[in-house]
Amino acid sequence: MTAPTLDEVAVAAGVSRSTASRAINGGEKVSPEAQAAVDAAVARLGYTPNRAARSLVTRRTGSIALVIPEPDGRVLADPFLAGTLRGMSQALEPTDLQLVLLIDRPGHHSDRIVRYLRGGHVDGAIIASHHAGDDLEVAVRGLPAVFIGRPYVATEGILYVDVDNVAGSRMAAERLVAAGRRRIATITGPSDMGVAQDRVEGWRAALTAAGLDADLSADGDFTLTGGALAMQDLLARDPEIDGVFAASDLMAQGAMRVLQTAGRSVPRDVSVVGFDDLGIAASTAPALTTIRNPVEEMVRTAADVLLDDLEGRGRATRPVLFSAQLVERASV
């Protein structure tokens, strides 16, 4: 038995082929009577619309890109990026939209991603883990898009959803000060990311307000290994460090392993605070005090902002910031 054709639907509905096509594929200028007749004919005949034809009529692809300019190994291992992917999948589940995942090393083939985004292959994009030099702000001009996390340069018209990283990192450093720590270091994220800039800013503001030196920082890369290497560097520069704010829980975990190997007990000798609270913080030894980063809620909010734009329900005009929250455990 052959599948019913669009011509057969048109005959059954008593309308022209072009009217049937517009009614099925979401075009305009279809009367309510014609729409009802076509809907009934589609149901009666079991007609399945052609996706390519729908795209020609609506100028929509039915796809949303999730852009993560990071290597695939990090996407799978990093709790923040894994949470981003999980949250995006959940956000699109009630819709008919297909999720397209675009990943690569930062700056490695960003021109390929830029060409794809500007080539009309997707209706909109969510961008996470953005680095300076990725040119993604340029790529999404004219395309509905929302960033997860503040872009490196947040120019006018760029929409993003984020936690208040400045307030959160300040809260983390203030907790270390309140614990009596006086040589407080930070392990930062990559210097080409807005989130890293913001978390250093909050740490520095808290130490300055407390009258403490803010001269102990080491670059990390939001990975376990990066945190360990940064902690080794910090201890070599100042063995008297008694507090550490790591800009991610993975880096905090790496730092605690180095401290323990060096014979420095956490929290007796050194207090440690992380940032994220996405699973590993509760399982470190000792359990990690950290700042909650509500990534799945942020992703769902970003998806809602994007879908509102796509469906004509209105376009957001300003960033959305979630409040930071300190989660107390045993590392301070």
Short mmCIF file of all heavy atoms in Angstrom, two decimals, residues 164-219:
data_model
loop_
_atom_site.label_atom_id
_atom_site.label_comp_id
_atom_site.label_asym_id
_atom_site.label_seq_id
_atom_site.Cartn_x
_atom_site.Cartn_y
_atom_site.Cartn_z
N ASP A 164 25.14 34.70 39.05
CA ASP A 164 25.91 35.90 39.39
C ASP A 164 27.29 35.46 39.88
O ASP A 164 27.51 35.23 41.06
CB ASP A 164 25.18 36.70 40.46
CG ASP A 164 25.77 38.08 40.67
OD1 ASP A 164 26.97 38.27 40.35
OD2 ASP A 164 25.05 38.98 41.14
N ASN A 165 28.21 35.33 38.94
CA ASN A 165 29.54 34.81 39.25
C ASN A 165 30.34 35.74 40.15
O ASN A 165 31.12 35.28 40.99
CB ASN A 165 30.31 34.54 37.96
CG ASN A 165 29.77 33.36 37.21
OD1 ASN A 165 29.85 32.23 37.67
ND2 ASN A 165 29.21 33.60 36.03
N VAL A 166 30.20 37.04 39.96
CA VAL A 166 30.94 37.98 40.80
C VAL A 166 30.48 37.85 42.25
O VAL A 166 31.30 37.71 43.18
CB VAL A 166 30.76 39.42 40.30
CG1 VAL A 166 31.44 40.40 41.25
CG2 VAL A 166 31.32 39.59 38.89
N ALA A 167 29.16 37.88 42.47
CA ALA A 167 28.64 37.74 43.83
C ALA A 167 28.98 36.38 44.42
O ALA A 167 29.31 36.26 45.60
CB ALA A 167 27.13 37.95 43.83
N GLY A 168 28.91 35.33 43.60
CA GLY A 168 29.20 33.98 44.09
C GLY A 168 30.64 33.82 44.52
O GLY A 168 30.93 33.24 45.60
N SER A 169 31.58 34.31 43.71
CA SER A 169 32.99 34.15 44.07
C SER A 169 33.34 35.05 45.25
O SER A 169 34.17 34.69 46.09
CB SER A 169 33.87 34.47 42.86
OG SER A 169 33.60 35.76 42.35
N ARG A 170 32.70 36.20 45.33
CA ARG A 170 32.92 37.05 46.52
C ARG A 170 32.42 36.33 47.78
O ARG A 170 33.08 36.35 48.82
CB ARG A 170 32.21 38.39 46.34
CG ARG A 170 32.42 39.34 47.51
CD ARG A 170 32.03 40.76 47.21
NE ARG A 170 32.41 41.65 48.31
CZ ARG A 170 32.64 42.94 48.20
NH1 ARG A 170 32.54 43.52 47.01
NH2 ARG A 170 32.99 43.66 49.24
N MET A 171 31.27 35.68 47.66
CA MET A 171 30.72 34.92 48.79
C MET A 171 31.67 33.80 49.21
O MET A 171 31.87 33.55 50.41
CB MET A 171 29.36 34.34 48.34
CG MET A 171 28.48 33.83 49.45
SD MET A 171 26.92 33.19 48.74
CE MET A 171 26.29 34.66 47.93
N ALA A 172 32.28 33.15 48.23
CA ALA A 172 33.22 32.06 48.52
C ALA A 172 34.44 32.59 49.28
O ALA A 172 34.87 32.01 50.29
CB ALA A 172 33.65 31.39 47.22
N ALA A 173 34.99 33.70 48.79
CA ALA A 173 36.17 34.27 49.44
C ALA A 173 35.83 34.81 50.83
O ALA A 173 36.62 34.67 51.77
CB ALA A 173 36.76 35.37 48.56
N GLU A 174 34.65 35.39 50.97
CA GLU A 174 34.23 35.90 52.28
C GLU A 174 34.08 34.75 53.29
O GLU A 174 34.36 34.93 54.49
CB GLU A 174 32.92 36.66 52.15
CG GLU A 174 33.08 38.02 51.48
CD GLU A 174 31.75 38.69 51.18
OE1 GLU A 174 30.70 38.00 51.20
OE2 GLU A 174 31.76 39.91 50.91
N ARG A 175 33.66 33.59 52.80
CA ARG A 175 33.54 32.44 53.70
C ARG A 175 34.92 32.01 54.22
O ARG A 175 35.08 31.63 55.39
CB ARG A 175 32.87 31.27 52.97
CG ARG A 175 32.70 30.01 53.82
CD ARG A 175 31.74 30.28 54.96
NE ARG A 175 31.66 29.13 55.88
CZ ARG A 175 32.44 28.96 56.94
NH1 ARG A 175 33.40 29.84 57.21
NH2 ARG A 175 32.30 27.90 57.72
N LEU A 176 35.93 32.09 53.36
CA LEU A 176 37.29 31.76 53.76
C LEU A 176 37.82 32.79 54.77
O LEU A 176 38.49 32.43 55.74
CB LEU A 176 38.19 31.68 52.53
CG LEU A 176 37.89 30.51 51.58
CD1 LEU A 176 38.62 30.69 50.26
CD2 LEU A 176 38.27 29.18 52.22
N VAL A 177 37.52 34.06 54.52
CA VAL A 177 37.93 35.11 55.46
C VAL A 177 37.27 34.89 56.82
O VAL A 177 37.91 35.00 57.88
CB VAL A 177 37.57 36.50 54.90
CG1 VAL A 177 37.81 37.58 55.96
CG2 VAL A 177 38.37 36.81 53.64
N ALA A 178 35.98 34.55 56.79
CA ALA A 178 35.25 34.33 58.04
C ALA A 178 35.81 33.14 58.82
O ALA A 178 35.68 33.07 60.06
CB ALA A 178 33.76 34.10 57.73
N ALA A 179 36.45 32.20 58.10
CA ALA A 179 37.05 31.04 58.75
C ALA A 179 38.41 31.36 59.33
O ALA A 179 39.08 30.47 59.88
CB ALA A 179 37.16 29.89 57.75
N GLY A 180 38.84 32.63 59.21
CA GLY A 180 40.12 33.04 59.78
C GLY A 180 41.29 32.88 58.85
O GLY A 180 42.46 33.03 59.27
N ARG A 181 41.04 32.59 57.60
CA ARG A 181 42.14 32.41 56.64
C ARG A 181 42.67 33.77 56.19
O ARG A 181 41.91 34.72 56.01
CB ARG A 181 41.66 31.60 55.44
CG ARG A 181 41.06 30.25 55.82
CD ARG A 181 42.00 29.44 56.69
NE ARG A 181 41.45 28.13 57.04
CZ ARG A 181 42.10 27.21 57.76
NH1 ARG A 181 43.30 27.48 58.24
NH2 ARG A 181 41.54 26.05 58.02
N ARG A 182 44.00 33.86 56.01
CA ARG A 182 44.62 35.13 55.67
C ARG A 182 45.48 35.08 54.40
O ARG A 182 45.75 36.11 53.80
CB ARG A 182 45.48 35.63 56.85
CG ARG A 182 44.64 36.02 58.08
CD ARG A 182 43.73 37.19 57.74
NE ARG A 182 42.84 37.57 58.85
CZ ARG A 182 41.58 37.16 58.95
NH1 ARG A 182 41.07 36.32 58.05
NH2 ARG A 182 40.83 37.56 59.95
N ARG A 183 45.95 33.93 54.00
CA ARG A 183 46.68 33.79 52.73
C ARG A 183 45.80 32.97 51.80
O ARG A 183 45.89 31.75 51.71
CB ARG A 183 48.04 33.11 52.95
CG ARG A 183 49.03 33.97 53.68
CD ARG A 183 49.37 35.24 52.88
NE ARG A 183 50.19 34.95 51.70
CZ ARG A 183 50.25 35.75 50.63
NH1 ARG A 183 49.51 36.86 50.58
NH2 ARG A 183 51.02 35.44 49.62
N ILE A 184 44.91 33.69 51.13
CA ILE A 184 43.86 33.04 50.34
C ILE A 184 44.18 33.15 48.85
O ILE A 184 44.28 34.25 48.29
CB ILE A 184 42.49 33.69 50.64
CG1 ILE A 184 42.16 33.54 52.12
CG2 ILE A 184 41.40 33.05 49.78
CD1 ILE A 184 40.92 34.31 52.56
N ALA A 185 44.34 32.01 48.22
CA ALA A 185 44.67 31.95 46.79
C ALA A 185 43.42 31.62 45.99
O ALA A 185 42.40 31.18 46.53
CB ALA A 185 45.73 30.88 46.54
N THR A 186 43.52 31.82 44.69
CA THR A 186 42.45 31.39 43.79
C THR A 186 43.03 30.62 42.62
O THR A 186 44.14 30.93 42.14
CB THR A 186 41.61 32.57 43.28
OG1 THR A 186 40.49 32.06 42.52
CG2 THR A 186 42.41 33.50 42.38
N ILE A 187 42.29 29.63 42.18
CA ILE A 187 42.60 28.91 40.93
C ILE A 187 41.53 29.33 39.94
O ILE A 187 40.35 29.06 40.14
CB ILE A 187 42.60 27.39 41.14
CG1 ILE A 187 43.67 27.01 42.17
CG2 ILE A 187 42.85 26.67 39.82
CD1 ILE A 187 43.67 25.53 42.54
N THR A 188 41.93 30.02 38.90
CA THR A 188 40.98 30.63 37.97
C THR A 188 40.62 29.68 36.84
O THR A 188 41.28 28.67 36.61
CB THR A 188 41.58 31.91 37.36
OG1 THR A 188 42.55 31.54 36.36
CG2 THR A 188 42.23 32.78 38.41
N GLY A 189 39.57 30.07 36.12
CA GLY A 189 39.27 29.41 34.86
C GLY A 189 40.12 30.02 33.75
O GLY A 189 40.94 30.91 34.00
N PRO A 190 39.95 29.57 32.50
CA PRO A 190 40.73 30.11 31.38
C PRO A 190 40.53 31.62 31.25
O PRO A 190 39.40 32.12 31.34
CB PRO A 190 40.16 29.37 30.17
CG PRO A 190 39.60 28.11 30.73
CD PRO A 190 39.06 28.48 32.07
N SER A 191 41.60 32.34 31.03
CA SER A 191 41.55 33.80 31.00
C SER A 191 40.78 34.35 29.81
O SER A 191 40.49 35.56 29.76
CB SER A 191 42.97 34.37 31.01
OG SER A 191 43.69 33.92 29.87
N ASP A 192 40.44 33.50 28.83
CA ASP A 192 39.70 33.98 27.65
C ASP A 192 38.19 33.73 27.79
O ASP A 192 37.47 33.73 26.80
CB ASP A 192 40.22 33.33 26.37
CG ASP A 192 40.06 31.80 26.36
OD1 ASP A 192 39.72 31.22 27.43
OD2 ASP A 192 40.26 31.19 25.30
N MET A 193 37.72 33.52 29.03
CA MET A 193 36.30 33.28 29.26
C MET A 193 35.74 34.32 30.23
O MET A 193 36.37 34.65 31.24
CB MET A 193 36.07 31.87 29.82
CG MET A 193 36.49 30.75 28.88
SD MET A 193 36.10 29.12 29.55
CE MET A 193 34.29 29.10 29.39
N GLY A 194 34.54 34.81 29.95
CA GLY A 194 33.90 35.80 30.81
C GLY A 194 33.68 35.28 32.21
O GLY A 194 33.84 36.02 33.19
N VAL A 195 33.31 34.00 32.35
CA VAL A 195 33.05 33.43 33.66
C VAL A 195 34.30 33.48 34.52
O VAL A 195 34.24 33.75 35.73
CB VAL A 195 32.52 31.98 33.53
CG1 VAL A 195 33.51 31.08 32.82
CG2 VAL A 195 32.21 31.40 34.90
N ALA A 196 35.47 33.23 33.93
CA ALA A 196 36.72 33.27 34.68
C ALA A 196 37.01 34.68 35.15
O ALA A 196 37.44 34.90 36.29
CB ALA A 196 37.86 32.73 33.82
N GLN A 197 36.80 35.66 34.27
CA GLN A 197 37.01 37.06 34.65
C GLN A 197 36.14 37.43 35.85
O GLN A 197 36.60 38.05 36.81
CB GLN A 197 36.65 37.97 33.48
CG GLN A 197 37.58 37.87 32.27
CD GLN A 197 37.10 38.78 31.15
OE1 GLN A 197 35.91 38.95 30.93
NE2 GLN A 197 38.04 39.38 30.44
N ASP A 198 34.86 37.04 35.80
CA ASP A 198 33.92 37.42 36.85
C ASP A 198 34.28 36.78 38.19
O ASP A 198 34.15 37.40 39.26
CB ASP A 198 32.50 37.04 36.45
CG ASP A 198 31.97 37.89 35.29
OD1 ASP A 198 32.59 38.92 34.99
OD2 ASP A 198 30.95 37.50 34.70
N ARG A 199 34.72 35.53 38.15
CA ARG A 199 35.02 34.83 39.41
C ARG A 199 36.31 35.35 40.04
O ARG A 199 36.42 35.39 41.27
CB ARG A 199 35.05 33.32 39.19
CG ARG A 199 33.67 32.79 38.86
CD ARG A 199 33.60 31.29 38.63
NE ARG A 199 32.25 30.93 38.15
CZ ARG A 199 31.87 29.72 37.79
NH1 ARG A 199 32.74 28.70 37.85
NH2 ARG A 199 30.64 29.50 37.36
N VAL A 200 37.26 35.78 39.25
CA VAL A 200 38.44 36.44 39.81
C VAL A 200 38.05 37.78 40.41
O VAL A 200 38.53 38.15 41.50
CB VAL A 200 39.51 36.65 38.71
CG1 VAL A 200 40.62 37.57 39.22
CG2 VAL A 200 40.11 35.31 38.30
N GLU A 201 37.17 38.50 39.75
CA GLU A 201 36.76 39.81 40.23
C GLU A 201 36.12 39.72 41.62
O GLU A 201 36.42 40.52 42.51
CB GLU A 201 35.77 40.45 39.25
CG GLU A 201 35.27 41.82 39.67
CD GLU A 201 34.25 42.39 38.71
OE1 GLU A 201 34.23 41.98 37.54
OE2 GLU A 201 33.45 43.26 39.14
N GLY A 202 35.25 38.76 41.83
CA GLY A 202 34.60 38.61 43.12
C GLY A 202 35.57 38.23 44.21
O GLY A 202 35.50 38.74 45.34
N TRP A 203 36.49 37.31 43.91
CA TRP A 203 37.53 36.90 44.88
C TRP A 203 38.38 38.09 45.29
O TRP A 203 38.62 38.34 46.47
CB TRP A 203 38.39 35.81 44.23
CG TRP A 203 39.70 35.53 44.91
CD1 TRP A 203 39.90 34.75 46.02
CD2 TRP A 203 40.99 36.02 44.53
NE1 TRP A 203 41.24 34.71 46.34
CE2 TRP A 203 41.93 35.49 45.44
CE3 TRP A 203 41.44 36.83 43.50
CZ2 TRP A 203 43.29 35.76 45.36
CZ3 TRP A 203 42.80 37.11 43.41
CH2 TRP A 203 43.72 36.59 44.34
N ARG A 204 38.81 38.87 44.30
CA ARG A 204 39.67 40.01 44.59
C ARG A 204 38.93 41.06 45.42
O ARG A 204 39.50 41.66 46.35
CB ARG A 204 40.17 40.61 43.28
CG ARG A 204 41.13 41.79 43.48
CD ARG A 204 41.71 42.27 42.16
NE ARG A 204 42.59 41.28 41.57
CZ ARG A 204 42.34 40.63 40.43
NH1 ARG A 204 41.22 40.89 39.76
NH2 ARG A 204 43.19 39.75 39.95
N ALA A 205 37.66 41.30 45.09
CA ALA A 205 36.89 42.31 45.83
C ALA A 205 36.75 41.92 47.30
O ALA A 205 36.85 42.78 48.19
CB ALA A 205 35.51 42.47 45.19
N ALA A 206 36.52 40.63 47.57
CA ALA A 206 36.35 40.19 48.95
C ALA A 206 37.65 40.34 49.73
O ALA A 206 37.65 40.79 50.89
CB ALA A 206 35.88 38.74 48.98
N LEU A 207 38.79 39.97 49.14
CA LEU A 207 40.06 40.08 49.84
C LEU A 207 40.44 41.54 50.08
O LEU A 207 40.93 41.90 51.16
CB LEU A 207 41.16 39.35 49.06
CG LEU A 207 41.40 37.89 49.48
CD1 LEU A 207 40.13 37.05 49.35
CD2 LEU A 207 42.55 37.29 48.69
N THR A 208 40.20 42.37 49.09
CA THR A 208 40.51 43.80 49.23
C THR A 208 39.68 44.41 50.36
O THR A 208 40.19 45.19 51.18
CB THR A 208 40.25 44.54 47.91
OG1 THR A 208 41.08 43.97 46.89
CG2 THR A 208 40.56 46.02 48.05
N ALA A 209 38.40 44.06 50.41
CA ALA A 209 37.52 44.59 51.46
C ALA A 209 37.96 44.15 52.84
O ALA A 209 37.75 44.86 53.84
CB ALA A 209 36.08 44.16 51.20
N ALA A 210 38.59 42.97 52.92
CA ALA A 210 39.06 42.44 54.21
C ALA A 210 40.47 42.91 54.55
O ALA A 210 41.01 42.53 55.60
CB ALA A 210 39.02 40.91 54.18
N GLY A 211 41.07 43.72 53.66
CA GLY A 211 42.43 44.20 53.91
C GLY A 211 43.50 43.16 53.68
O GLY A 211 44.61 43.27 54.21
N LEU A 212 43.19 42.14 52.86
CA LEU A 212 44.15 41.07 52.58
C LEU A 212 44.74 41.22 51.19
O LEU A 212 44.13 41.81 50.29
CB LEU A 212 43.46 39.70 52.70
CG LEU A 212 42.82 39.38 54.05
CD1 LEU A 212 42.11 38.03 53.98
CD2 LEU A 212 43.87 39.38 55.16
N ASP A 213 45.94 40.65 51.00
CA ASP A 213 46.58 40.68 49.68
C ASP A 213 45.85 39.75 48.71
O ASP A 213 45.51 38.62 49.06
CB ASP A 213 48.04 40.24 49.80
CG ASP A 213 48.91 41.25 50.53
OD1 ASP A 213 48.53 42.44 50.52
OD2 ASP A 213 49.93 40.85 51.12
N ALA A 214 45.65 40.26 47.50
CA ALA A 214 45.04 39.45 46.44
C ALA A 214 46.08 39.21 45.36
O ALA A 214 45.91 39.60 44.20
CB ALA A 214 43.81 40.16 45.88
N ASP A 215 47.18 38.55 45.75
CA ASP A 215 48.31 38.38 44.83
C ASP A 215 48.59 36.92 44.49
O ASP A 215 49.55 36.61 43.80
CB ASP A 215 49.57 39.01 45.42
CG ASP A 215 49.93 38.43 46.80
OD1 ASP A 215 49.10 37.70 47.36
OD2 ASP A 215 51.03 38.73 47.29
N LEU A 216 47.74 36.01 45.00
CA LEU A 216 48.00 34.59 44.79
C LEU A 216 46.93 33.99 43.88
O LEU A 216 45.85 33.60 44.33
CB LEU A 216 48.02 33.84 46.13
CG LEU A 216 49.28 34.00 46.97
CD1 LEU A 216 49.09 33.37 48.34
CD2 LEU A 216 50.48 33.37 46.26
N SER A 217 47.20 33.95 42.60
CA SER A 217 46.27 33.33 41.66
C SER A 217 47.07 32.50 40.66
O SER A 217 48.22 32.82 40.34
CB SER A 217 45.43 34.37 40.92
OG SER A 217 46.24 35.14 40.05
N ALA A 218 46.44 31.44 40.19
CA ALA A 218 47.05 30.57 39.18
C ALA A 218 45.98 30.17 38.20
O ALA A 218 44.84 29.88 38.59
CB ALA A 218 47.68 29.34 39.83
N ASP A 219 46.33 30.16 36.93
CA ASP A 219 45.36 29.81 35.89
C ASP A 219 45.09 28.32 35.88
O ASP A 219 46.01 27.50 35.98
CB ASP A 219 45.89 30.22 34.50
CG ASP A 219 45.95 31.73 34.33
OD1 ASP A 219 45.32 32.44 35.14
OD2 ASP A 219 46.62 32.19 33.39
#
